[in-house]
Amino acid sequence: MPVTTPPPSPAPDIVARAPFRPLRFGNTRVQVRDGTGGVHYLQAEQALQPYPMRLTDRLQHWVQTRPQRTLWARRRRVRQSDGSVTLGDWERISYAEAWAAARAVAQALLERGLDAQRPVLILSENSLEHATLALGCLLAGVPWVPVSPAYSLLSADHAKLRHIWATVTPGLVFAQDERYARAIEAVVPPQVEVVLADGSLPQRGSTPFAALRATTATPAVDAAMAATGPDTIVKFLFTSGSTQAPKAVVNTQRMWCANQQQMTQCMPVLAEEDLVLMDWLPWNHTFGGNHNFGMVLYHGGTLYIDDGKPTPALIGETLRNLREIAPTVYFNVPSGFEAIAHALQHNDALRRNLLSRVRMFFYAGAALAQPIWDSLYASAIREVGERIVMATGLGMTETAPFALFITSPDVRAGDLGIPAPGLEVKLAPVDGKTEVRYRGPNVTPGYWRNPRDTAAAFDEEGFFRSGDAVTWIDATDVHRGLRFDGRIAEDFKLATGTFVSVGPLRARLIAAGAPYVHDAVITGLNRNEVGAMVFPTPRVRELCPLPPDASLHDVVQHPAVLAHFQRVLDALAQQATGSANRIARLILLADPPSIDRGEVTDKGSINQRAVLAHRAELVDQLYADALPPILKPRA
């Protein structure tokens, strides 16, 4: 792999003047209507064009017109003698092959009498079998439920998986291999059939996925597909469950198809040439599973499944794939682009291949730091003499997910844009911020078997309450659109797109540090890891031999105090199951919360948002390792 010392980056003025690789924006103007009580309504001037009522209609078109084109590809997994797995050459499945396999699977599902009351539960990472099963469900009109692999492979008690099971009552379970055996044993009743792509289960029988693939399709498949329509439930996608138990978001054919058409009108590049994606984003999330998976089906494109991920252990596989396969558009979360931006500075082969024909970068899941943005621009200018547009927007599982999109290449970190055609947006004042709310064909009808949360999710006019806050990019030019202004609630996402549940994490920290912790503010919005700023109680003085009149500044920096909190942090790290609940850095605050600044109420409750806003410089220092003493887990 050729590695070079990067030449000096272009000067900022050169970067700012460099042209963009041509990219057309299809939706650039918005209509604004004023309501009462400070409410505003936004709608694209462009109307939503006709779209199919079933995604299978688009798929069938591509099967007929480009049967030999590759639909999906994934590197073959080769098991070594020591049990390890290496990734080999690409295994490709054409549109014709995928269609035939999906029809066979659809027949097998119909024979088992599955439906919305007894859907298919999928315990798997992205795979060719996962994709084929999903397509079979789509043809048969049987919803599928893709579940985060972490709920099976990392969870100690499988609590979220148990909740998901109780919510959707699956009639069949698909698992990729025996790695899911422990979760299946813990959650899946013995009378429910389990299908495995590879291997077997030691404690129970299972059906090979090959047996479903070998089923002979009958006219019943065509009849089932014809019986589906815009209100047919395609899948149940679960929310992250950061503030409460995960909710099953109903995803219909109308939602998915309308959203794909909305995306096409906002991003004409998707239909201007043969679409090629290289993508790792998990299909149990709406970004990977609806936005990108659906995009390929809608446009007759090719999806290369990337077994990499934006983590130190797996980013090498992503970079390997991007040196080999050149995407036409590329999607990732900010932490992924951060790793790629760094690699582009040093790797000639990566720059040459990735930038050879990519027309657009697109990030979502969290805000992208501007230095990463600028680094990508600089590498592109160095390699091809022009910048690649970094596109973004705003959406959520409940909007299928595409909702807002930028209107020009002149965009900065945090810009969101305007509503997609056919989507109405309501800007409503909430708690001193402006919440964005949605109404349109791509918005979910609600949460499965959860009428209470469904009712609470919509306001009196039928707009879905997103919980996201926005402001105008430029109040004098509404056509530039909206800018992200945080979450109405205190929960947030890391740069990886991982949701952090603040309340439970803060409670664990306070409990572990008792009686020396009064409260804590959790940090990490758009960062790579979670941090904490701790307000100690007066009893913290008991931990060190300083005199009673010593300043709190001296107390919180005393080695004995730091040693105690180091042990607390280490203990919490050992209990953590992932980046969302692992406190990776911690500081003790000597300055008490201020009532005047709204950091604390007269009852002593901490306002997380106010503390973070007024101490933003302190948060920056925490992540820059510029404010000693900063504690970090030793394990």
Side-chain angles (χ1 to χ4, degrees):
M1 180 175 65
V3 177
T4 63
T5 301
S9 295
D13 61 326
I14 295 177
V15 172
R17 293 197 307 269
F20 284 100
R21 179 166 287 179
L23 183 73
R24 185 161 61 93
F25 290 83
N27 180 44
T28 60
R29 297 183 62 82
V30 68
Q31 297 174 340
V32 180
R33 175 172 60 88
D34 296 334
T36 60
V39 171
H40 303 282
Y41 300 89
L42 279 64
Q43 216 171 348
E45 287 188 359
Q46 183 183 140
L48 179 61
Q49 299 300 308
Y51 54 89
M53 291 295 100
R54 301 170 300 195
L55 198 58
T56 46
D57 295 341
R58 292 286 291 186
L59 177 60
Q60 204 165 11
H61 166 75
W62 299 120
V63 170
Q64 294 168 352
T65 58
R66 49 177 59 176
Q68 301 310 313
R69 179 180 172 84
T70 297
L71 170 54
W72 301 307
R74 188 191 188 195
R75 291 191 185 274
R76 288 183 173 86
R77 305 176 69 81
V78 182
R79 190 175 297 275
Q80 305 299 318
S81 57
D82 62 357
S84 64
V85 174
T86 60
L87 301 178
D89 294 334
W90 293 100
E91 179 181 357
R92 302 168 187 267
I93 297 181
S94 70
Y95 274 81
E97 292 168 335
W99 183 257
R103 284 178 55 81
V105 171
Q107 179 69 40
L109 301 179
L110 293 173
E111 291 175 359
R112 287 160 171 78
L114 302 173
D115 56 22
Q117 305 302 320
R118 299 174 62 248
V120 174
L121 188 79
I122 297 181
L123 306 179
S124 174
E125 66 274 24
N126 299 357
S127 71
L128 297 178
E129 295 86 358
H130 183 160
T132 302
L133 178 59
L135 208 57
C137 288
L138 194 64
L139 269 61
V142 176
W144 72 94
V145 189
V147 177
S148 169
Y151 295 174
S152 298
L153 303 179
L154 301 181
S155 174
D157 59 8
H158 301 111
K160 286 187 175 181
L161 184 58
R162 293 180 195 276
H163 168 75
I164 290 171
W165 185 275
T167 301
V168 297
T169 59
L172 182 143
V173 174
F174 168 83
Q176 188 64 35
D177 51 46
E178 61 272 10
R179 289 174 300 144
Y180 294 86
R182 188 171 64 90
I184 292 170
E185 185 66 23
V187 176
V188 181
Q191 67 272 20
V192 176
E193 182 180 11
V194 175
V195 175
L196 283 184
D198 298 299
S200 60
L201 300 177
Q203 303 298 326
R204 63 187 293 165
S206 61
T207 302
F209 183 70
L212 271 61
R213 286 276 309 264
T215 307
T216 301
T218 74
V221 174
D222 301 306
M225 187 170 60
T228 61
D231 295 316
T232 298
I233 298 174
V234 171
K235 66 174 86 169
F236 300 112
L237 285 178
F238 274 82
T239 60
S240 63
S242 55
T243 57
Q244 53 187 309
K247 298 188 288 287
V249 180
V250 174
N251 280 247
T252 65
Q253 288 272 12
R254 177 185 287 106
M255 285 175 62
W256 210 3
C257 293
N259 205 226
Q260 289 297 326
Q261 181 58 35
Q262 289 169 323
M263 290 160 53
T264 302
Q265 291 180 228
C266 291
M267 301 182 286
V269 63
L270 301 179
E272 288 176 346
E273 60 181 303
D274 288 344
L275 181 70
V276 176
L277 298 190
M278 171 66 70
D279 195 41
W280 70 270
L281 292 160
W283 296 339
N284 57 280
H285 289 164
T286 189
F287 190 5
N290 272 4
H291 191 282
N292 295 354
F293 188 91
M295 176 187 297
V296 170
L297 298 180
Y298 199 79
H299 293 286
T302 297
L303 172 61
Y304 288 88
I305 298 172
D306 176 14
D307 281 299
K309 195 174 290 186
T311 65
L314 296 175
I315 190 62
E317 179 62 21
T318 291
L319 300 178
R320 171 198 182 191
N321 292 333
L322 289 175
R323 289 194 302 268
E324 187 172 321
I325 304 298
T328 56
V329 294
Y330 186 68
F331 302 90
N332 213 324
V333 295
S335 60
F337 275 115
E338 181 177 4
I340 290 169
H342 176 74
L344 284 172
Q345 297 175 1
H346 304 271
N347 195 294
D348 292 343
L350 178 65
R351 280 200 311 274
R352 187 163 51 247
N353 196 65
L354 174 58
L355 300 174
S356 63
R357 62 172 179 173
V358 66
R359 298 274 300 281
M360 179 184 75
F361 290 140
F362 183 108
Y363 79 90
L368 183 68
Q370 194 63 49
I372 301 171
W373 208 312
D374 296 337
S375 177
L376 289 167
Y377 280 164
S379 291
I381 293 168
R382 189 181 309 137
E383 182 68 26
V384 296
E386 56 190 4
R387 291 178 286 175
I388 309 300
V389 172
M390 176 59 77
T392 188
L394 184 66
M396 58 196 311
T397 306
E398 290 86 347
T399 61
F402 193 83
L404 305 179
F405 188 68
I406 58 171
T407 60
S408 79
D410 300 314
V411 58
R412 302 289 290 175
D415 291 356
L416 302 174
I418 65 175
L423 180 67
E424 296 177 88
V425 161
K426 178 179 180 179
L427 303 181
V430 175
D431 296 337
K433 288 203 168 190
T434 300
E435 182 184 25
V436 59
R437 300 177 180 177
Y438 307 111
R439 186 171 67 184
N442 60 308
V443 177
T444 182
Y447 301 114
W448 185 245
R449 295 172 175 169
N450 193 340
R452 183 188 66 180
D453 285 345
T454 296
F458 294 87
D459 68 13
E460 68 284 353
E461 294 184 293
F463 284 86
F464 185 86
R465 308 173 190 265
S466 73
D468 289 320
V470 296
T471 60
W472 292 106
I473 294 174
D474 181 353
T476 66
D477 183 5
V478 296
H479 303 297
R480 292 190 62 190
L482 302 168
R483 182 175 179 81
F484 189 64
D485 195 30
R487 292 281 296 171
I488 301 297
E490 63 185 10
D491 293 343
F492 58 83
K493 289 181 179 179
L494 296 173
T496 59
T498 302
F499 223 140
V500 176
S501 182
V502 169
L505 183 57
R506 188 179 74 211
R508 285 198 296 272
L509 173 55
I510 293 172
Y516 306 114
V517 176
H518 166 61
D519 212 326
V521 173
I522 303 301
T523 67
L525 176 65
N526 298 326
R527 312 274 184 172
N528 287 327
E529 52 191 23
V530 173
M533 300 189 296
V534 172
F535 291 103
T537 66
R539 290 187 60 182
V540 73
R541 296 177 179 273
E542 301 172 0
L543 296 172
C544 68
L546 291 177
D549 60 350
S551 72
L552 191 57
H553 285 272
D554 290 337
V555 170
V556 299
Q557 296 189 43
H558 191 279
V561 174
L562 296 175
H564 171 80
F565 279 95
Q566 182 68 61
R567 290 191 293 271
V568 170
L569 188 60
D570 290 343
L572 288 170
Q574 291 178 354
Q575 301 167 11
T577 58
S579 61
N581 57 18
R582 183 180 190 272
I583 299 174
R585 49 188 66 225
L586 180 149
I587 55 173
L588 300 173
L589 301 179
D591 297 322
S594 167
I595 289 180
D596 292 338
R597 293 188 305 211
E599 292 181 335
V600 62
T601 68
D602 54 359
K603 295 185 292 184
S605 300
I606 298 294
N607 183 325
Q608 297 265 321
R609 195 171 74 194
V611 173
L612 291 170
H614 290 290
R615 307 192 188 213
E617 183 176 352
L618 188 61
V619 174
D620 289 338
Q621 292 173 332
L622 172 64
Y623 284 92
D625 292 324
L627 185 76
I630 295 173
L631 302 179
K632 299 180 181 181
R634 291 177 294 195

